[in-house]
Amino acid sequence: MPVEVTWWGHATCTIEDSGVRVLTDPLFVRRFAHLRRRRGELPGPEATVADVVLVSHLHSDHLHLPSLARLAPGSRLIVPLGAMRSVPRLRALRSVRGLRITEVAPGDQVRVGDVRVLAVPAMHDGRRLPMGPHRSPALGFVVEGEARTYFAGDTGLFDDMAQAVGPVDVALLPVGGWGPYLGHGHLDAGRAAQALARLAPRSAVPVHYGTYWPIGMDGVRPHEFHSPGDEFVRKAALLAPEVAVHRLSHGEQVRPEGAR
């Protein structure tokens, strides 16, 4: 069956390939810390159903403990190396919810049914902030079944990105953030289009924008919240015109071209 991608908002996606449901960086709340969900309904229970859940790094909008607690008991979770040490409450989830947690570093592979999950490098500060000196690598993942689908997590543009990721059919790329300024180690729409040109997939989906925004900042640089998806589509057309870009609405799904 064709590969299918659903974008639930922020960096949360479901990738369905070869009968396996893969969920990325689940974030299922209307509000947390200083952020409020500004667009898209909260994902329903179907979003929590997955054969494996991938966590790209330890920042609380990617490794969100209350959202992980909504997963079905016994769910399989793949996290960066050192996550259990840096986030002790993961151990409680493992005990109470029975989550099966595997730590991985770049280059590690995990087989889930008929798909293979490969951990690849990301250029991002992967620590659990602001706690402790422990470091864990930020990761991207390549889900390989009938297609090779790259979920970038959070990353900046780095020189050997294409070599580290390898050939891919579909790229899920972050194009924005949750505030008016992106720090080091992030892709904005322009850098994401450059990454797209290097990776040269058949299809791409922009993610990590237009979902959460700091409370009280509704009137501050609102274009930074609304525009990255459309800006990525425009810049991708210039830098990687052969790639089919799908700008999804929250909860929308697509069967990307060439991903079979």
Side-chain angles (χ1 to χ4, degrees):
M1 62 179 289
V3 172
E4 190 169 80
V5 174
T6 305
W7 182 50
W8 303 107
H10 201 54
T12 307
C13 304
T14 295
I15 303 162
E16 297 187 64
D17 190 334
S18 305
V20 177
R21 284 176 63 92
V22 181
L23 177 65
T24 67
D25 289 351
L27 188 55
F28 298 138
V29 291
R30 190 169 303 281
R31 175 176 173 174
F32 77 103
H34 63 300
L35 302 179
R36 178 179 62 184
R37 191 175 179 108
R38 290 290 313 281
R39 184 180 286 177
E41 296 297 322
L42 284 179
E46 70 277 10
T48 68
V49 177
D51 297 293
V52 64
V53 179
L54 310 180
V55 173
S56 63
H57 62 289
L58 306 189
H59 292 173
S60 60
D61 58 326
H62 293 258
L63 194 163
H64 186 252
L65 292 163
S67 294
L68 294 178
R70 291 183 53 187
L71 300 174
S75 293
R76 189 168 190 181
L77 187 62
I78 298 177
V79 300
L81 184 67
M84 299 287 285
R85 178 186 61 180
S86 297
V87 189
R89 286 177 60 194
L90 275 175
R91 299 192 189 101
L93 282 179
R94 182 176 61 182
S95 299
V96 174
R97 302 292 295 172
L99 299 184
R100 296 173 293 152
I101 302 176
T102 301
E103 294 188 344
V104 296
D108 289 343
Q109 302 178 21
V110 178
R111 172 69 63 173
V112 182
D114 290 332
V115 307
R116 181 183 66 145
V117 177
L118 170 66
V120 297
M123 191 185 79
H124 191 70
D125 183 349
R127 292 176 296 168
R128 184 69 165 186
L129 301 174
M131 299 165 54
H134 301 309
R135 289 184 176 272
S136 289
L139 302 173
F141 294 98
V142 176
V143 178
E144 182 175 339
E146 295 186 37
R148 297 187 88 242
T149 301
Y150 170 48
F151 169 67
D154 256 355
T155 187
L157 189 66
F158 54 98
D159 290 340
D160 60 346
M161 175 180 276
Q163 179 180 357
V165 173
V168 291
D169 300 299
V170 185
L172 312 181
L173 296 177
V175 301
W178 51 252
Y181 302 103
L182 291 176
H184 181 70
H186 293 83
L187 295 178
D188 60 12
R191 292 192 294 272
Q194 294 177 48
L196 194 67
R198 296 183 186 188
L199 295 166
R202 293 172 178 163
S203 301
V205 177
V207 301
H208 204 288
Y209 77 99
T211 308
Y212 291 92
W213 201 243
I215 295 167
M217 294 188 67
D218 294 15
V220 178
R221 299 174 66 87
H223 67 281
E224 297 284 359
F225 176 81
H226 292 287
S227 66
D230 289 334
E231 186 178 355
F232 173 71
V233 171
R234 291 193 298 271
K235 293 187 174 182
L238 295 175
L239 297 181
E242 71 285 357
V243 180
V245 177
H246 305 275
R247 190 185 70 77
L248 302 181
S249 301
H250 292 77
E252 188 177 2
Q253 55 191 211
V254 66
R255 292 181 175 179
E257 291 89 342
R260 297 182 182 276

